[in-house]
Each structure stands twice: as structure tokens, then as C-alpha cells.
Amino acid sequence: MTPRFDAIGLAVADMAASLAFYRMLGLDIPAEADTQPHAEATLPGGLRLMWDRAETPPPGGPGRMELAFLCDSPAEVDAAYAKLTDGGVRGSKAPWDAFWGQRYAVLLDPDGNNVALFAPLPG
């Protein structure tokens, strides 16, 4: 048997703030998870995203990793970025047409981790 990628874990300083951010991206996370030391959500395809409350910031500081969310179209990248930044989420890089053929944008979650929105460019 070969190990397979199954989950992504995030150490967070504020569980409620982190879960609220990921709910805005469409993840189904029960409200009672806001007060727990551990929470997780199963994503389409079976991958799990897990959060654990950290008493101290993880070594190396924020922004050491990036989660990427596929959007249906370049216009959805723009709309999602606008909705989230208008709602108070910190933007790191506004939407742009990347040389690798994607519309791409980067936000920061409440712990400073990079969260990308992307969609293939037409053509």
C-alpha cells in the first residue's frame, strides 16, 4: 500500500476567525467547531482540511504555505476576491493573468497563510 495525500492541517491562533474565513469560501463547518481545539471539514473528493488551535504561533511565522481554491472561471476569481476583500479579508495579490495560463489571486487567512483563488484562462 502506498500512502496517499489525505489532509491538510493548519495551526491557528483564533479558531472562530479562521473557520469564519473558510466558511466564506464555501466550506461546510459546523458552528460549534468555533469553540473546539480541533475542527475538520471533508472536501469534495475526500481530502480533509483540519484546524488545530495553537497556543503559540508555529515556527517560521505566517505565510509558509498556500491553499489553492479552483474557481469556475476567471470572472469568478475576480468576484470572489472582491467579495472577500470587501468583507474585510486581507488581499495579498489582486487578481492577474498569470503567465502559466491561470487567472490568479492571493488572500491571507487570519493567521497570515496564503490562500489562492485560480481558474484556467480561456484559449
Side-chain angles (χ1 to χ4, degrees), residues 39-100:
E40 61 181 70
T42 301
L43 307 174
L47 182 66
R48 292 174 302 123
L49 185 54
M50 303 179 300
W51 300 264
D52 288 288
R53 190 174 4 192
E55 299 304 318
T56 59
R64 295 175 297 129
M65 49 81 63
E66 179 172 278
L67 301 176
F69 286 76
L70 174 64
C71 297
D72 288 334
S73 68
E76 186 182 2
V77 171
D78 295 355
Y81 185 87
K83 176 184 173 186
L84 290 163
T85 56
D86 289 349
V89 172
R90 291 180 294 160
S92 175
K93 180 118 173 102
W96 85 98
D97 291 343
F99 69 89
W100 57 84

Side-chain angles (χ1 to χ4, degrees), residues 19-29 43-44 69 83-84:
L19 297 181
F21 172 82
Y22 288 98
R23 284 184 189 107
M24 289 192 318
L25 283 168
L27 298 186
D28 184 22
I29 306 163
L43 307 174
F69 286 76
K83 176 184 173 186
L84 290 163

Side-chain angles (χ1 to χ4, degrees), residues 4-46:
R4 65 182 169 87
F5 186 57
D6 184 65
I8 299 168
L10 301 173
V12 300
D14 183 331
M15 183 69 80
S18 186
L19 297 181
F21 172 82
Y22 288 98
R23 284 184 189 107
M24 289 192 318
L25 283 168
L27 298 186
D28 184 22
I29 306 163
E32 59 270 13
D34 289 359
T35 60
Q36 301 300 313
H38 174 83
E40 61 181 70
T42 301
L43 307 174

